[in-house]
C-alpha cells in the first residue's frame, strides 16, 4: 500500500469529501487530490496535520506501520 491509498482510505472511512478534509487541515482540495493521485506527497507539516486529524501515526500514513502498530519494513 502507498501513502496515497492510505490517505484516501482514511478520508472515505470518515465519509469526507476532498474539500472537507482540505478545510479540516487548512489546505486546498487540489492538494488532497494530488496526494491521493500520487502526483505529490504531503510535506512534513501536512503529515502531522493528517496524523493528528485521523488520530494515527505518521508511520501509519506512510505505510510503515499496520493498524496494530507493527512496523513494516519493505526490502
Amino acid at each position: 500500500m502507498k501513502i496515497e491509498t492510505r490517505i484516501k482510505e482514511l478520508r472515505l472511512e470518515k465519509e469526507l469529501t476532498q474539500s472537507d478534509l482540505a478545510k479540516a487541515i487548512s489546505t486546498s482540495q487540489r492538494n488532497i487530490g494530488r496526494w491521493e493521485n500520487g502526483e505529490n506527497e504531503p510535506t512534513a507539516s501536512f503529515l502531522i496535520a493528517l496524523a493528528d486529524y485521523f488520530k494515527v501515526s505518521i508511520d501509519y500514513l506512510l505505510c510503515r506501520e499496520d493498524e496494530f502498530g507493527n512496523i513494516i519494513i519493505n526490502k
Side-chain angles (χ1 to χ4, degrees):
M1 184 177 292
K2 295 182 178 182
I3 186 172
E4 57 265 19
T5 306
R6 188 62 49 89
I7 293 170
K8 186 173 185 176
E9 176 184 272
L10 289 166
R11 178 178 63 78
L12 294 176
E13 280 178 13
K14 287 197 171 264
E15 299 180 0
L16 299 169
T17 64
Q18 289 181 346
S19 294
D20 293 335
L21 179 55
K23 188 174 182 179
I25 64 166
S26 300
T27 191
S28 67
Q29 179 273 324
R30 189 175 194 176
N31 274 343
I32 303 295
R34 286 178 175 160
W35 299 340
E36 289 185 0
N37 290 325
E39 295 172 32
N40 282 337
E41 290 186 353
T43 62
S45 60
F46 282 120
L47 284 173
I48 292 167
L50 288 163
D52 289 349
Y53 182 78
F54 289 118
K55 297 178 177 42
V56 298
S57 70
I58 291 174
D59 276 341
Y60 182 76
L61 285 173
L62 296 174
C63 304
R64 292 180 40 87
E65 181 179 282
D66 66 18
E67 60 272 11
F68 304 107
N70 299 312
I71 299 296
I72 302 166
I73 306 289
N74 293 325
K75 294 182 181 184

